Amino acid sequence: MPDAGLSVSVVSHGHGAAVIALLGQMASVLESGGVGPCRVLLTVNCPEPGLVASVRARSWPFEVVVLENSSPAGFGANHNRAFERDRKLGASTVFGVVNPDVRLLDNQPFAALLAVFAAAPQAGCVYPRQIDVAGAVQDHERLLPTPGRLLRRHLFRRRHEVPANSAGSADWVNAAFMLLRGTAFAQVGGFDERYHMYGEDVDLCLRLRLAGWILMRADSVVVEHVAQRASHRDLRHLGWHLASLLRLWRSPVYRRFKRLHVAGYSKSV
């Protein structure tokens, strides 16, 4: 059955087939008697008439709200707008941000994720474990991205910064799949829309942590994420990535987080 406390935001930027597959998986969870979203907010970031027609032609076990942009918006802006629309329609207690290139691997992913919120009132963000198409664990949870840590990461290929048995020790997690407590997301003002495609998730997680919320991994839930890593291949994306890092390092959020946690980073920064 749909969980009246969960809405999920999905953004398509030419990802029509992947979106239909993801919606189909979420529908299957509900149709098999599982717990799932009561509402999916689908943002079509560039014209995809075929996707919109396909979505509207099918009956879904959850409400589908299609938001069509007249011009493309950034990652943070799209999810912020979806969150605001959700609030106007009757806000859910949990707001999910899910990439279209994610595949659900569990029959009951949402039930286990929501159970973490119920058990931990201080949890502002709950997320699953992520693997790639080959089954390898992805580096989706990380420590504060300092210049020194990033240099070591790329020189020595140190991908996994947080041990698999250390749930709750990450400073930030990627936004490919995260569930956010609605009150926490609203308290920190959502994503900072000044970041363009990169850095929004780092900044959001740091602000959640500074506001007293914690990030919690639901170890029993695994999703497959086809990470694009476009900044490794495309100079334009690399430029956006570097610009976002510079913005992050100059931000008061970053400086405050590092200052308040300097003792914990003394040996690793």
Side-chain angles (χ1 to χ4, degrees):
M1 61 179 289
D3 189 288
L6 173 64
S7 290
V8 171
S9 174
V10 179
V11 177
S12 178
H13 191 87
H15 299 92
V19 169
I20 293 297
L22 177 61
L23 294 183
Q25 281 200 297
M26 290 192 288
S28 294
V29 170
L30 289 166
E31 289 164 352
S32 64
V35 173
C38 64
R39 179 180 298 134
V40 174
L41 300 109
L42 171 61
T43 300
V44 182
N45 204 31
C46 59
E48 291 184 78
L51 169 60
V52 174
S54 295
V55 169
R56 289 177 171 161
R58 178 171 169 179
S59 176
W60 302 96
F62 38 70
E63 178 187 5
V64 178
V65 178
V66 178
L67 308 173
E68 295 185 77
N69 289 345
S70 56
S71 58
F75 180 92
N78 280 322
H79 289 297
N80 285 349
R81 292 171 187 174
F83 181 71
E84 290 304 317
R85 175 62 69 88
D86 187 57
R87 294 180 79 178
K88 290 178 180 178
L89 293 172
S92 298
T93 55
V94 176
F95 180 71
V97 172
V98 181
N99 278 10
D101 59 355
V102 162
R103 187 164 72 93
L104 307 180
L105 300 180
D106 299 284
N107 292 329
Q108 290 290 339
F110 297 108
L113 290 160
L114 293 171
V116 177
F117 282 116
Q122 72 276 34
C125 171
V126 176
Y127 59 98
R129 292 188 293 127
Q130 290 181 24
I131 62 172
D132 63 20
V133 292
V137 177
Q138 295 226 12
D139 54 337
H140 60 292
E141 47 188 354
R142 304 183 193 174
L143 301 177
L144 189 72
T146 65
R149 185 170 283 130
L150 288 179
L151 181 63
R152 290 193 298 274
R153 174 182 173 84
H154 290 284
L155 285 179
F156 303 108
R157 303 297 180 184
R158 294 181 179 175
R159 291 293 181 192
H160 298 285
E161 301 173 349
V162 178
N165 61 352
S166 299
S169 61
D171 291 330
W172 69 279
V173 298
N174 75 22
F177 193 123
M178 56 167 53
L179 298 189
L180 298 147
R181 194 182 296 274
T183 51
F185 192 64
Q187 180 186 349
V188 300
F191 288 103
D192 185 335
E193 299 179 16
R194 293 173 295 180
Y195 290 90
H196 187 77
M197 288 188 67
Y198 299 98
E200 304 99 327
D201 42 12
V202 186
D203 171 79
L204 175 68
C205 290
L206 296 187
R207 285 186 287 116
L208 285 169
R209 295 283 306 279
L210 288 170
W213 300 98
I214 62 173
L215 318 176
M216 297 194 66
R217 185 177 68 220
D219 285 320
S220 65
V221 183
V222 182
V223 300
E224 182 183 281
H225 176 219
V226 185
Q228 299 297 318
R229 302 193 189 280
S231 63
H232 294 192
R233 307 183 309 274
D234 187 305
L235 289 178
R236 182 178 58 168
H237 283 261
L238 177 61
W240 288 336
H241 202 164
L242 293 174
S244 291
L245 278 172
L246 289 174
R247 176 179 292 280
L248 178 71
W249 288 334
R250 293 170 178 169
S251 72
V253 170
Y254 179 90
R255 292 196 299 270
R256 184 180 171 215
F257 187 90
K258 186 175 182 181
R259 183 174 67 251
L260 293 178
H261 296 75
V262 66
Y265 295 129
S266 59
K267 295 182 180 179
S268 57
V269 175

